[in-house]
Amino acid sequence: MKQSVNILVSGGGTGGHIYPAIAIANEIKQRYPKANFLFVGAKDRMEMEKVPQAGYEIKGLWITGIQRKLTMKNLLFPFKLLSSLWNARKIIKKFNPDVVIGTGGFASGPTLQMANRKKIPTVVQEQNSYPGITNKLLAKKATTICVAYDGLERFFPKEKIVKTGNPVRQDLLQNATGNDAEAKEFFKLDTDKKTVLVLGGSLGARAINRLIEGQLDWFEENEVQLIWQTGKLYVEEYKKYDGKNVQVHAFLNNMNFAYKVADIIVSRAGASSISELCIVSKPVIFIPSPNVAEDHQTKNAMAVVSKDAAILCKENELDTFQEKLEKLIKSDEKQVALSKNMKQLALPNATKDIVNEIEKLIQ
């Protein structure tokens, strides 16, 4: 492979699309220090901040998704799409990429569409077990489709699919196992008590926070310690509960330690989270967000639950949560079984495997 290659990467809207894109770029950069990179994102979305922080240049397109109900934004959508296709074409012509990688999000649609028209090799990286509309459309002309779940030939051409898994943070791979004393000390935990880690995403999840608030007496009575990541939108509302047995955090900067000290994890079911949790291999109760396109978090969770590797508790069944948690905490046998089955689903070499596919296209 030639050392000086031009790599165009498009993905964003949420961390689940941005961080895989950055992880892929970092792996390519490690192998080919002279490679040139350009990211394409959606204006006013979080990638316009996060990508430069990671050290890469980014161009923004004027694009958003279609709203589910009739709004003014929907009336503007055709104009935004035409503008984005036009600007993506200009970016591609000027940058002249050897390969274009899409990790999902609004901007990846027009970018990969124009690359396909110009017969430039494209790679679609689909994180979820149920793809969105954009990736379904792009898949028809994509060169390679990297996926994290089985059964995606229902949506994509079978001959283009490569099961690689989703990229996860490098520090997790290096420190994924064991409950060590350093992590316990970091959180000042009682080593004789069980610890539950609650994750609702960086912004937080109102339904999960309300659920946990209603269970605080149960945690106290059963002497279970709680590390509760409320998200930055809700931390002011819940920090009054921060105390001896309950630790309230807006965001957990040291996820390694949080994963290590947890005996049981309660989490949303975003694709990146699930990929991390498979590597961590701890017993998990998934509470998927019902407010996402195609209810894909429930489908992601089901792909794990069907392998007896996690427990599902839907938002409309939260009255069963306490019973499920109590059964799990009291059964070491169940905890061991879930952890073992979860570990079998882990794909820790995902980033390297995706870049191996990208290398084939450039060669």
Side-chain angles (χ1 to χ4, degrees), residues 64-65 77 104-113 124 126 131-140 156 294:
T64 52
F77 180 76
F106 303 139
S108 66
T111 307
L112 269 73
Q113 173 78 357
V124 169
E126 174 55 62
I133 296 167
T134 304
N135 278 356
K136 283 184 199 168
L137 293 171
L138 291 171
K140 291 170 187 171
F156 299 143
E294 314 284 358

Side-chain angles (χ1 to χ4, degrees), residues 9-13 17 40-42 47 61 63 84-85 88 92 100-116 122-125 134-135 138:
V9 188
S10 184
H17 295 312
V40 179
E47 59 264 30
L61 302 179
I63 186 71
S84 295
L85 288 165
I92 288 167
V100 180
I101 304 151
T103 60
F106 303 139
S108 66
T111 307
L112 269 73
Q113 173 78 357
M114 296 317 291
N116 285 334
T122 59
V123 176
V124 169
Q125 197 262 318
T134 304
N135 278 356
L138 291 171

Side-chain angles (χ1 to χ4, degrees), residues 138-152:
L138 291 171
K140 291 170 187 171
K141 294 195 174 171
T143 320
T144 305
I145 304 160
C146 296
V147 304
Y149 292 93
D150 294 322
L152 277 264

Side-chain angles (χ1 to χ4, degrees), residues 176-244:
T177 55
N179 246 20
D180 65 43
E182 188 186 1
K184 291 260 186 191
E185 178 56 33
F186 180 83
F187 283 106
K188 303 284 188 283
L189 294 169
D190 184 334
T191 52
D192 295 326
K193 291 180 179 178
K194 293 274 190 185
T195 302
V196 172
L197 170 65
V198 176
L199 303 170
S202 56
L203 296 176
R206 180 175 288 283
I208 291 179
N209 287 334
R210 282 181 174 168
L211 169 72
I212 297 304
E213 183 181 30
Q215 302 289 331
L216 291 177
D217 289 343
W218 182 90
F219 280 102
E220 183 69 33
E221 287 161 17
N222 289 273
E223 296 193 315
V224 175
Q225 298 169 123
L226 180 63
I227 298 173
W228 182 7
Q229 188 236 311
T230 61
K232 63 182 183 182
L233 294 181
Y234 302 103
V235 70
E236 293 302 317
E237 193 177 337
Y238 295 104
K239 67 180 181 185
K240 62 189 174 193
Y241 297 117
D242 194 76
K244 184 179 156 210

